[in-house]
Amino acid sequence: MNAKLRSTISKIAFPAAALLLLILLWQGICTFGRVPKYMLPSPADVWAAFQKDWQLMFSHARVTLTEMFIGLFIGIAVGFLFAVIMDRFSVVNKMLYPLIVVSQTIPTIAIAPLLVIWMGYQMLPKIVLIVLVVFFPITISLLEGFSSVDADTVNLMRSMGAGRLQIFRYVKLPNSLGHFFSSLKISVSYAVVSAVVSEWIGGTEGLGCYMTRVRKSFSSDKMFAVIILISVISLVLIWLTSALQRACMPWDKIHLRRSQKI
């Protein structure tokens, strides 16, 4: 068994063992601890609730994912635009950077009701909230990536007659990809949570609306089932982001292999 296969098995085996231990502990507490089902349903009860309502959950999940992806793509575009402008113009950077930081000190749960009042109960306020949450880590990470380029490399490009656009394309943009994907992993999870939170406040479809309904009916087994579904969705999106990073940054994978050999 080679080292790569052993590493892959260990990455899967240890988290799987920890998850199995957690489920067994949870089941044991529910079975022998005499905890009421309305307070803590057992894993078996949660699985039964998921099997019973999985079609309805996935129908609501489709709406939540639609909101999430639209808001995520717009947030990435806005964050990229802000980062480019702030990197190009230092005056704009000094003006906008404090405002961007301050914007993130306002809790999303406080913004969501205002967006619903201003924009109604449709998809628009959910998308706007996701954009407000996503663009911050994207902007800050890209700005850091742009500013952390090697000065000697930039000077070499200038000495060879490269313009600003060429320096940005061949030096700054590749240098910022690692920062971008690190923030993207955070943003996709934030986007899912923001979509669910906005659906709590107002709406007729989505996992947040489903959670509100089952909570009011004291169906804690369904509540746990949808919470686990949201967690699984976030994990899958983070994994897809990592796969996209490996595809877009093959040189990073080569560098990692060389460092492991050393």
Side-chain angles (χ1 to χ4, degrees), residues 10-179:
S10 64
K11 287 180 181 179
I12 298 174
F14 286 111
L19 180 61
L20 179 60
L21 181 62
L22 178 62
I23 293 174
L24 292 175
L25 180 61
W26 179 7
Q27 183 67 46
I29 292 173
C30 295
T31 303
F32 303 106
R34 296 182 179 180
V35 181
K37 287 186 177 182
Y38 68 88
M39 292 182 62
L40 183 65
S42 68
D45 294 330
V46 173
W47 176 246
F50 179 78
Q51 287 182 311
K52 181 180 179 181
D53 256 19
W54 71 269
Q55 290 182 322
L56 183 58
M57 289 184 191
F58 277 97
S59 175
H60 285 289
R62 186 182 69 253
V63 177
T64 300
L65 286 174
T66 301
E67 298 166 352
M68 188 277 296
F69 278 117
I70 295 174
L72 181 65
F73 290 140
I74 296 176
I76 291 172
V78 172
F80 180 81
L81 182 62
F82 269 61
V84 171
I85 294 175
M86 291 169 68
D87 177 71
R88 175 64 180 84
F89 303 101
S90 59
V91 175
V92 177
N93 190 349
K94 294 176 182 178
M95 292 174 59
L96 292 183
Y97 193 91
L99 297 177
I100 292 175
V101 174
V102 169
S103 71
Q104 300 305 301
T105 63
I106 305 173
T108 55
I109 196 67
I111 301 176
L114 295 175
L115 294 177
V116 171
I117 293 173
W118 295 337
M119 304 176 185
Y121 290 91
Q122 301 303 316
M123 193 176 290
L124 182 59
K126 285 85 168 175
I127 294 173
V128 171
L129 183 64
I130 295 168
V131 171
L132 291 175
V133 172
V134 165
F135 93 98
F136 174 75
I138 298 295
T139 301
I140 299 302
S141 62
L142 283 174
L143 194 60
E144 182 178 349
F146 293 156
S147 60
S148 64
V149 296
D150 183 51
D152 292 335
T153 304
V154 174
N155 291 331
L156 177 62
M157 292 286 291
R158 286 173 178 167
S159 67
M160 298 173 66
R164 291 184 182 274
L165 183 60
Q166 290 174 311
I167 293 174
F168 176 81
R169 178 181 177 184
Y170 294 109
V171 180
K172 289 190 173 184
L173 190 58
N175 185 76
S176 65
L177 283 180
H179 296 80

Side-chain angles (χ1 to χ4, degrees), residues 221-233:
D221 51 351
K222 295 179 181 179
M223 190 74 171
F224 272 80
V226 72
I227 289 173
I228 293 173
L229 177 60
I230 292 171
S231 298
V232 170
I233 290 173

